[in-house]
Amino acid sequence: MGTHRKVGAMKIGIIGAGNIGGNLTRRLTALGHDVSVANSRGPETLTGLAEETGARPVTVGEAARDAEVVVVTVPLKAVPALPEDILDGAAPGAVVIDTGNYYPQRDGRIDAIENGLPESRWTEQQIGHPVVKAFNGTYAQDILDRGRPQGTPGRQALPVAGDDPAAKRTVRELIDELGFDTVDAGGLDESWRQQPGTPVYGNQGDVDAVVKALAEASGERTAEWRA
């Protein structure tokens, strides 16, 4: 990635305040970003997180307002229930990060994904906006505990998949700021390589380990894992 560039404070909307959403809220506010956070139960249930972090608790419909980056981190089964116009108020060219994973035992059977559509491609269709897939195979606790300065030997790397090079660059710079290296995992059609059941899912390795794990992914194994 060359020399490290400070991303600068961005307006970030986080939809979903579970383990990943909550810990991204903690780290991104600590880095000085302007974070709004929403969950399905309403802003009044987020006062603790808001007081802890300084993030703004909002409704799901308000989460993306003026946001330059929107993180969708809700269970896959909840994606179709998001408001249709959820991204209408986002900043022009807003980048949407999808952290989601398909777990049939939780989400119910989604035929399109069972038939081979990458999970993030399905999410993109539901929300009507391109997404960048990241953080989906990362332990939530790692976001708090394992960030290291750029250049640290063995620095943990995260795969990032997406079709828009500029959007992917924004996400990779943000992840670098959080303390992790990144690996370009290709376009969204290749994002199955980082879905549950693949070698990179839950992998805490460095760039070389992540590159190797992505290359070793097998579509058949992923289907077996789901079954």
Side-chain angles (χ1 to χ4, degrees), residues 132-150:
V132 175
K133 188 177 188 77
F135 300 111
N136 72 292
T138 311
Y139 294 109
Q141 197 61 35
D142 287 356
I143 293 169
L144 293 185
D145 295 347
R146 288 178 62 92
R148 299 289 181 269
Q150 196 183 50

Side-chain angles (χ1 to χ4, degrees), residues 95-199:
V95 174
V96 178
I97 300 174
D98 167 35
T99 77
N101 291 308
Y102 172 48
Y103 301 116
Q105 62 276 23
R106 176 196 68 189
D107 299 315
R109 183 185 166 90
I110 299 174
D111 286 335
I113 296 175
E114 294 285 353
N115 293 333
L117 186 71
E119 297 165 352
S120 287
R121 193 62 86 193
W122 181 85
T123 294
E124 188 176 77
Q125 291 174 1
Q126 304 305 309
I127 65 173
H129 192 288
V131 303
V132 175
K133 188 177 188 77
F135 300 111
N136 72 292
T138 311
Y139 294 109
Q141 197 61 35
D142 287 356
I143 293 169
L144 293 185
D145 295 347
R146 288 178 62 92
R148 299 289 181 269
Q150 196 183 50
T152 303
R155 193 187 197 209
Q156 185 172 336
L158 311 187
V160 178
D163 297 332
D164 178 342
K168 206 153 47 169
R169 191 162 55 246
T170 296
V171 175
R172 294 179 73 182
E173 287 171 355
L174 199 60
I175 292 172
D176 183 35
E177 206 188 338
L178 286 163
F180 301 91
D181 284 341
T182 54
V183 171
D184 187 335
L188 213 60
D189 286 335
E190 288 295 302
S191 66
W192 65 268
R193 292 181 177 275
Q194 64 194 79
Q195 289 177 182
T198 62

